[in-house]
Amino acid sequence: MSLIRLGRFTECAAVAERGGDAARRAGRPDLAYGIWIHTACALSGAGDLTGALQAADAAIAATRGMTVIELPCLAARAFVLSRLGRHDEALAVAAEQLMMAERMDSPAAASLARHDAGLISLAAGRHQAAAGLLERALAEGAGVSRPAARLACAEALARSGRPEEAAAEVRRAALEPVRASDQPWALVPRMARVQGLIALARDD
């Protein structure tokens, strides 16, 4: 965490190797989870997607069978695979995450998994599926950035040839309350891009 705060992302892997091994020997999968997930995020941010995938795989190996902490590890793997362009694998992992979340009988976990699967589907060009998953996740109150999720849903709708529904979703996104973690400064260009996709869908 200190390295991440200092912006020294690429140094995290070596530290994680030592820390993850120590956590395994101590029988602390929860600690190993934290180490490997943060490392996956750091390496992804540094552009080392291969390293990020290895960290996500290490997180899954450390938490296998402990569903509550295994789910975010599967999500990390799915998102890294998606960024690598390995969409079929990413979709398969997202489906595994969703199936596992639904077996937990936890509405919060299931709605979050639906959101994640929606974003993975959008990146894979499965626009109809993405729109359905994101709409349901939003309706269920998924614990995510709601304005960002609505813009992703609007994009999926626009790319599905449903510009009027997409425009309505953009209006709803503009009315969502934001927090600092939503990075509101980044939402305006994203909204403009989606408005461009809506215009394209209208042949405008």
Side-chain angles (χ1 to χ4, degrees):
M1 294 303 295
S2 295
L3 288 170
I4 289 171
R5 290 190 185 101
L6 292 168
R8 292 159 57 183
F9 299 149
T10 57
E11 298 175 46
C12 292
V15 174
E17 287 285 352
R18 297 195 299 274
D21 186 54
R24 180 186 56 77
R25 291 197 308 270
R28 291 288 306 276
D30 57 326
L31 189 56
Y33 156 75
I35 291 169
W36 287 117
I37 282 294
H38 284 105
T39 300
C41 292
L43 294 177
S44 180
D48 181 3
L49 296 179
T50 300
L53 183 60
Q54 291 170 348
D57 287 342
I60 292 170
T63 59
R64 182 64 76 184
M66 287 158 282
T67 307
V68 172
I69 54 176
E70 186 180 353
L71 282 173
C73 301
L74 289 170
R77 185 170 203 275
F79 280 117
V80 175
L81 285 168
S82 178
R83 287 191 60 190
L84 284 165
R86 293 162 60 176
H87 297 300
D88 288 342
E89 293 172 78
L91 288 164
V93 176
E96 181 184 357
Q97 178 195 353
L98 180 53
M99 183 174 64
M100 191 179 294
E102 288 175 335
R103 282 203 306 265
M104 282 180 66
D105 194 26
S106 166
S111 63
L112 180 57
R114 261 185 275 282
H115 165 269
D116 294 348
L119 294 183
I120 297 296
S121 296
L122 179 59
R126 308 280 184 88
H127 302 129
Q128 291 277 15
L133 286 161
L134 289 166
E135 285 174 328
R136 186 168 173 189
L138 283 161
E140 293 171 344
V144 298
S145 170
R146 290 185 64 82
R150 286 204 182 279
L151 288 177
C153 185
E155 177 177 346
L157 290 165
R159 291 186 179 277
S160 297
R162 298 154 66 185
E164 303 312 318
E165 294 171 72
E169 200 63 45
V170 169
R171 287 192 291 274
R172 284 190 283 268
L175 296 174
E176 287 283 359
V178 294
R179 301 162 295 175
S181 60
D182 292 307
Q183 299 181 317
W185 57 272
L187 293 172
V188 174
R190 290 180 66 182
M191 184 176 291
R193 175 177 172 276
V194 174
Q195 288 172 322
L197 291 172
I198 291 168
L200 181 65
R202 289 170 168 162
D203 197 26
D204 183 354

